[in-house]
Amino acid sequence: LQEAIGGLTVDGIVGPATLIAVNVLDAKLSRYVFVKFLALRYAFVANIVADDAGQHVFLRGWVNRCNEFLMRL
């Protein structure tokens, strides 16, 4: 999320700075962040499988979760 928003330290913790950044996004920018977050998530799971082919058995579930998130767009 922090990487998708930009301008934040990417530490994996949704703390006060991340929450403030999310809450000040306007509708158009929040849609952009939403799409960018999903793109980063898809790339993340693809890289997991690329690094370890044994993880392929989990790929469909990971992609399905991303797709559920996408359906809320």
Side-chain angles (χ1 to χ4, degrees):
L1 180 59
Q2 295 157 334
E3 186 175 348
I5 294 170
L8 297 171
T9 300
V10 179
D11 61 8
I13 299 169
V14 179
T18 304
L19 293 174
I20 290 169
V22 167
N23 287 325
V24 299
L25 294 174
D26 64 28
K28 187 174 181 179
L29 191 53
S30 65
R31 185 177 174 93
Y32 168 80
V33 168
F34 187 95
V35 171
K36 186 170 181 182
F37 176 79
L38 269 176
L40 290 167
R41 191 69 187 169
Y42 283 119
F44 176 75
V45 299
N47 286 331
I48 290 173
V49 175
D51 290 342
D52 180 357
Q55 298 295 315
H56 187 270
V57 297
F58 303 110
L59 183 60
R60 182 180 300 252
W62 293 333
V63 169
N64 284 342
R65 282 190 210 104
C66 290
N67 290 343
E68 288 173 12
F69 194 63
L70 178 62
M71 298 309 284
R72 297 170 192 234
L73 184 60

